[in-house]
Amino acid sequence: MLFAPPNLETKELFWIIYILILIPKVFAKVMSVRELFPFFKWGFNIRRSNFLVPILSNNVIVTGEEAVQYEKPLPYIPQHNQQQQKQQQPSQDYIQQPQNDNDTNNSNNNKNNNINNGKEQEQQTTTTTQQQTPEVINQSTKTNNNSNNNINNSNSSNSNNNKKIPIKELSNEEILIKLEKGEVLAYRLESELGDCSRAVEIRRMLLEKQLSKKIEPIPYEGYDFAKVQGQCCENVIGYVPIPVGTAGPIQLNGQLVTIPMATTEGCLVASTHRGCKAITESGGAKCTITSRGMTRAPVVRFSDIVKASEFVSWINDNDNYQALKAVFDSTSRFARLSAIKCTIAGRSVYIRFKCDTGDAMGMNMVSKGVEAVLDHLKIIFDDMTLLSISGNMCTDKKPSSINWTEGRGRSVVCEAMITGEVVQRVLKTNVQALVDLNIAKNLIGSAMAGSIGGFNAHASNIVTAIFLATGQDCAQNVESSNCITQMEACNDGQDLYITVTMPSIEVGTVGGGTSLPAQSACLDIIGVKGSSSSRPGANADQLAKTIASAVMAGELSLMSALSAGHLMKSHLQYNRAKTN
């Protein structure tokens, strides 16, 4: 009878043995009851039997009539609980990585047990057909709270482990490694560290390692690099000391002015000083500003030359100009538009704006105002296309006839009368020799060379030296050195009349390098540090006058040395000293 078709009693015995013995083993391999019994519904349909049929579902054993309840779908598990279980699993994986295969299996088993336990708790709290005691509910709540605490502790641990250490708390050597790996950018060291001097030191370490050589001769200690950041220089590794000398004082418009000059050219300061002495002993120099205004010339393009011509006519109308001036002037407390000049080339128009910029050199100031005007013009002329805010008719840092003839920055004229006695005693030459040489060299010679603004002996020498000392934009010495030197014999040929005309000296006493300590101190030597509170622009005007007077002193001294044949002797004396 053992292998005969089982009757009802045998079938009941079969199910009891199967469920009690085999199910726990299968659960160890993580399989559900429904996966094990595709025919499980048959076992559910034994409704009115007088025997017990144990059925295991979510670790809950039900018998007899209660088994019928499981024909219905399993209780709904809220979505937020499912998400919580999903979040718990990766968090635990992140905190504790398995060391080997056994650890991996154990970890998986533990996770599944946790999931099953969660399902058991959910079913105990949500199944309406089961009667639970308050103690069970409290136990389930405590378990959930403990699970949430574990997740929070795990997340807190992850946050502490992943917390990024600020760059400034690392050592210089550790930062250097990050620089080499590209994890930190060298140009951002100042902002990352909050210490400009330390940033310079680390950048020097990086450069020395890249070059495989020391850069110790370039100093960096004792300098306030905070004044450099975001204003004067990037990727700073130090500073280059340039010798600074003073020429003068020179009597200028009735006041004595000392002239600081930063240069590495021997004899330059000495020669300028001699010219200052000759001018001052002869009664001093007079200097005046004939025009001032920084320029910017954008280039715009139209669809055809007719539209370009109409645009120029519109600009030249005074009412329209006044409207544009109001737009321009609204962009700054100091910038004031003084002129607009248009030049047509085909269907392109070059609009040269000229404006007063107070004590600032003013390139950024005028550019800001020009952008505002261009935005206004685009509304009126919808077919206007801006090609560039600078169309090279400004003209900035390049030789050009427009700066020479129309000026840029400060246009300055300076004059002096040098007595014949001073010419002979101080300058070691005579009046007629100076006049003849100036015609032959500065006027005819420069004309034969096709020079633009170069009708002088060495104006750029003095301009550049003062620019370096006072924190000016040294590249603008190109147009700032435009100069024509004129000499005449007067008082029956006994005395010398000298003038220099410089139409485009571009200087400022605020902004840029003028705020650096040493450069600011040099401006203070002249007496033009910062902005004039009583009359904006007065300090920059005085600086331009000082430069022009120094140029005139330099011209007078060099031309005297040339006419007397002393140039080479002077340079051998001051430029060829033996060094250790």
Side-chain angles (χ1 to χ4, degrees), residues 434-435 438 485-489 496-499 555-556 559:
L434 284 172
V435 172
N438 187 71
T485 300
Q486 296 173 277
M487 295 183 185
E488 304 173 26
L496 177 72
Y497 176 76
I498 180 173
T499 66
E555 291 285 284
L556 183 61
M559 293 295 287

Side-chain angles (χ1 to χ4, degrees), residues 290 404 412-414 481-486 499-504:
T290 61
W404 175 242
V412 189
V413 180
C414 194
S481 298
N482 284 337
C483 175
I484 181 170
T485 300
Q486 296 173 277
T499 66
V500 292
T501 303
M502 305 181 71
S504 50

Side-chain angles (χ1 to χ4, degrees), residues 396-451:
D396 190 41
K397 303 171 184 176
K398 292 169 283 292
S400 68
S401 62
I402 195 169
N403 288 343
W404 175 242
T405 57
E406 296 192 15
R408 189 171 194 251
R410 264 79 177 173
S411 297
V412 189
V413 180
C414 194
E415 68 177 3
M417 181 79 70
I418 313 299
T419 66
E421 186 272 332
V422 170
V423 170
Q424 294 181 3
R425 176 173 56 84
V426 178
L427 300 176
K428 313 298 182 186
T429 186
N430 60 78
V431 172
Q432 194 57 46
L434 284 172
V435 172
D436 291 342
L437 178 60
N438 187 71
I439 294 173
K441 173 182 169 62
N442 289 342
L443 303 183
I444 298 176
S446 295
M448 295 298 293
S451 178

